[in-house]
Amino acid sequence: MNIVICDNYEDMSKKACDLLVSCLQENPNGLISLPGGDTPLGLFREFTAAVNSGNVDISAANYVSLDEWVGLGIDDEGSCGHFNKVNLLDKLEKPFANTYVINGAAEDTTNEKDKLNSFIDVHGPLCVSVLGIGLNGHLGFNEEGVCFDSEGHITALAETTRRVMRKYFGDNFNPEYGITQGLGQIMKANTIILLANGAHKAEILRKAISGPVTNEVPATVLQNHPNAYIFMDKAAAGE
Ligand code: GLP
């Protein structure tokens, strides 16, 4: 694991974006995946600027979203897809060659999960997987107890996830399930970039980086990856 402690959120976002851009410059046909959540917003801004200024050409590259709340689609505010669309995909002056955003509102969620896996089979493996980390150590919606070699799947959300998600939805929406890329797909990425900022992430980061590798803390699997980078601000590095 490569641990990169950054001065602040902006520095973290910029350094992570520089790595993402350099991976795409080396592999212009690559498949990349970006998460939802609050953490990647700065990286989205940096990446949009890099694409729109011509610093990186994504016309042959492919994009897949990481995860989604079951019940929400790309047009629903608070969904990961909506966040990806509004903050990234709609802002790119030139699109990716192929884009797949998970539709959590699909009636047939099994079919939706199969479509996600097919897209990754066709365009993958991932060149870069960008991730955030949940307070229980989840990556995407790979919750406690998940198989390390899982593919895209539908999962019951952990208690912690359901508590934290109130910051997105308040009392308006209370999803019980998520659709997510699996850890097996994430771990096949050439490069993994995990972002974490804020003191509230310090304890789980410490476990992820130096705790025993266990599926009870899914992010510990990154200790087994040969090319994983963890970018954090000083507050998240606190412990
Ligand atoms: C959410 C998402 C993840 C995200 C993580 C952290 O529940 N499923 O993809 O990375 O939790 O979110 P945040 O960046 O808002 O802390």
Side-chain angles (χ1 to χ4, degrees):
M1 274 177 155
N2 302 284
I3 311 290
V4 186
I5 299 176
C6 307
D7 290 340
N8 51 41
Y9 178 76
E10 287 69 34
D11 187 39
M12 177 191 83
S13 305
K14 190 170 178 348
K15 287 194 166 109
C17 183
D18 287 348
L19 177 57
L20 173 61
V21 164
S22 74
C23 291
L24 277 175
Q25 285 167 339
E26 274 170 36
N27 188 357
N29 303 317
L31 172 64
I32 69 164
S33 170
L34 302 180
D38 292 331
T39 310
L41 196 56
L43 177 137
F44 282 18
R45 273 191 228 113
E46 295 286 339
F47 187 69
T48 301
V51 171
N52 291 348
S53 67
N55 186 21
V56 60
D57 177 9
I58 58 164
S59 60
N62 303 301
Y63 176 85
V64 62
S65 64
L66 174 66
D67 57 1
E68 189 56 275
W69 311 95
V70 167
L72 294 186
I74 195 165
D75 294 324
D76 295 312
E77 219 163 298
S79 71
C80 303
H82 186 262
F83 177 83
N84 279 216
K85 175 176 150 55
V86 170
N87 294 299
L88 181 76
L89 300 172
D90 284 354
K91 295 200 164 156
L92 298 172
E93 288 164 11
K94 292 174 194 161
F96 289 99
N98 298 282
T99 297
Y100 193 82
V101 176
I102 300 166
N103 179 14
E107 274 186 28
D108 185 343
T109 47
T110 303
N111 183 48
E112 182 60 24
K113 174 256 311 174
D114 291 343
K115 280 160 66 180
L116 168 66
N117 287 332
S118 301
F119 187 86
I120 295 175
D121 285 346
V122 170
H123 298 288
L126 288 161
C127 166
V128 185
S129 172
V130 181
L131 302 164
I133 185 169
L135 290 179
N136 60 345
H138 75 198
L139 300 176
F141 283 132
N142 288 277
E143 303 281 29
E144 294 102 315
V146 67
C147 266
F148 278 175
D149 58 1
S150 59
E151 291 216 312
H153 60 281
I154 296 152
T155 182
L157 299 173
E159 277 307 307
T160 312
T161 305
R162 298 188 68 194
R163 182 165 39 79
V164 172
M165 79 190 177
R166 293 178 59 80
K167 74 178 172 177
Y168 304 115
F169 307 117
D171 290 329
N172 298 330
F173 183 62
N174 189 15
E176 290 176 59
Y177 297 94
I179 303 184
T180 184
Q181 288 177 34
L183 290 182
Q185 291 160 324
I186 291 168
M187 287 294 283
K188 285 196 189 112
N190 292 342
T191 302
I192 294 179
I193 297 175
L194 177 74
L195 302 170
N197 69 292
H200 62 301
K201 294 285 173 78
E203 188 189 342
I204 193 62
L205 261 191
R206 181 182 56 76
K207 283 189 189 155
I209 292 166
S210 55
V213 176
T214 165
N215 64 358
E216 289 308 312
V217 183
T220 58
V221 73
L222 300 181
Q223 294 179 32
N224 295 338
H225 194 278
N227 200 30
Y229 290 80
I230 306 194
F231 292 90
M232 63 189 80
D233 70 354
K234 284 182 179 159
E239 294 203 20

